[in-house]
């Protein structure tokens, strides 16, 4: 089964962007670790990153048509602004887990609100790169009817 992993704006800068907040691990390293972790569970990870809202909306819609089993998404700054991304996730009706490297609830007030959270299975925030692994474990447990 395939899982789409979507990463929003500025996540391509991981490893060099504000390492005190986001760590030193690159997005490529995080995605490779996730691919390696998913394989023994019987899942294939298909990662994608874009700085453009419409690209992410297109990928969410594509996930339904290409028969993905679920989505892991770190919407980056679009978490707090994108009704379009929220509506796409709602429309495709695929189980989705929202991930954030930093604890968005412990940061600036504008980061506390997520348009994505109400249409996601859950939100994992504040555990750095490990958040993707936690999201994978939660999503596959849900898909395998273990939770």
């Amino acid at each position: 089964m395939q899982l789409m992993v979507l990463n929003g704006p500025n996540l391509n800068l991981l490893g060099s962007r504000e390492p005190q907040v986001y760590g030193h691990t690159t997005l490529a390293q995080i995605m490779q670790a996730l691919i390696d972790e998913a394989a023994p569970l019987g899942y294939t990870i298909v990662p994608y990153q874009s700085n453009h809202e419409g690209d992410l909306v297109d990928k969410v819609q594509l996930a339904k048509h290409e028969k993905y089993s679920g989505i892991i998404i770190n919407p980056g700054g679009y978490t707090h602004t994108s009704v379009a991304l929220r509506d796409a996730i709602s429309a495709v009706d695929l189980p989705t887990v929202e991930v954030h490297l930093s604890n968005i609830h412990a940061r600036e007030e504008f980061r506390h609100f997520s348009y994505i959270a109400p249409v996601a299975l859950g939100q994992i925030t504040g555990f750095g790169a490990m958040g993707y692994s936690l999201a994978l474990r939660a999503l596959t447990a849900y898909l395998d009817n273990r939770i």
Side-chain angles (χ1 to χ4, degrees):
M1 291 195 283
Q2 291 192 112
L3 302 176
M4 184 174 282
V5 180
L6 297 176
N7 292 282
N10 299 312
L11 291 165
N12 56 310
L13 300 176
L14 288 178
S16 61
R17 174 187 176 213
E18 298 178 81
Q20 71 280 9
V21 175
Y22 301 108
H24 294 280
T25 308
T26 67
L27 183 60
Q29 291 169 325
I30 294 169
M31 291 300 104
Q32 188 57 58
L34 200 62
I35 289 166
D36 295 345
E37 184 178 353
L41 300 173
Y43 288 88
T44 301
I45 297 296
V46 180
Y48 183 76
Q49 187 278 327
S50 179
N51 293 319
H52 304 283
E53 183 178 25
D55 287 346
L56 296 168
V57 169
D58 288 345
K59 284 294 186 182
V60 169
Q61 292 176 3
L62 192 63
K64 182 73 168 189
H65 298 295
E66 291 191 357
K67 309 292 186 205
Y68 283 83
S69 300
I71 299 170
I72 296 171
I73 186 168
N74 182 339
Y78 292 135
T79 302
H80 325 290
T81 64
S82 183
V83 173
L85 193 52
R86 177 250 181 251
D87 287 351
I89 292 167
S90 181
V92 299
D93 196 31
L94 288 172
T96 300
V97 177
E98 179 183 357
V99 176
H100 297 282
L101 297 167
S102 66
N103 181 351
I104 62 173
H105 304 289
R107 296 186 63 196
E108 303 93 339
E109 188 172 333
F110 73 88
R111 295 186 195 274
H112 298 182
F113 177 79
S114 169
Y115 278 102
I116 308 305
V119 295
L121 289 176
Q123 182 188 73
I124 298 171
T125 176
F127 293 100
M130 182 192 290
Y132 286 89
S133 176
L134 295 170
L136 174 67
R137 295 297 173 153
L139 184 55
T140 58
Y142 176 84
L143 292 168
D144 296 342
N145 296 309
R146 291 183 280 129
I147 58 171

